[in-house]
Amino acid sequence: TDAIKTLQTALNLVNRKKQGSAGKSKTEFSMTDKVSVYLELAEAYRQTGQNQEASRIMNDAMSEYLGTVEEIRITVANADLALAKGEVDSALHILRAITSNQPYYLQAREKM
């Protein structure tokens, strides 16, 4: 779909390494913005029934942002994807791993 193509282009753009070109301004994207593109792309794949691609994008995001402040946000989104695929036990397992001292804890508990 057009949404998926646009989000794939956006993902390529936010992941592009800065190149020093004289006279051209480079846009810096925050980690939050980059993760948002991954999550939106995964959701677009899910909504079009392409669950395997959605899972691949989520795995890419998790690998890229493991150990960062965005990791838990990706984890919660991963649980949402598992729920959408009907994998309730898997979603619960993912959500239970989020502890009370982590961001998104309340959101994880609400989803449970």
Side-chain angles (χ1 to χ4, degrees):
T1 68
D2 287 342
I4 289 173
K5 289 178 186 172
T6 300
L7 286 164
Q8 286 172 331
T9 300
L11 188 60
N12 289 337
L13 180 65
V14 299
N15 284 332
R16 187 177 294 161
K17 303 290 184 218
K18 280 188 6 178
Q19 298 170 352
S21 299
K24 292 188 178 182
S25 63
K26 295 293 175 192
T27 304
E28 286 286 325
F29 296 96
S30 70
M31 185 184 317
T32 300
D33 291 339
K34 292 176 183 181
V35 169
S36 293
V37 174
Y38 275 100
L39 299 183
E40 290 296 328
L41 181 55
E43 178 64 12
Y45 277 128
R46 187 198 63 76
Q47 288 181 357
T48 58
Q50 299 179 63
N51 289 333
Q52 191 170 5
E53 278 299 304
S55 294
R56 184 185 64 77
I57 293 297
M58 292 301 289
N59 288 337
D60 289 351
M62 188 58 84
S63 295
E64 182 77 20
Y65 297 100
L66 189 66
T68 70
V69 295
E70 293 295 324
E71 178 182 0
I72 301 302
R73 183 172 162 218
I74 297 165
T75 300
V76 171
N78 225 352
D80 285 339
L81 178 60
L83 279 175
K85 295 189 310 189
E87 299 171 358
V88 176
D89 288 341
S90 177
L92 287 172
H93 178 75
I94 291 167
L95 293 171
R96 283 186 187 117
I98 299 172
T99 61
S100 61
N101 63 337
Q102 293 176 304
Y104 298 97
Y105 172 77
L106 292 177
Q107 185 179 355
R109 289 296 173 240
E110 286 173 5
K111 290 180 184 298
M112 290 174 67

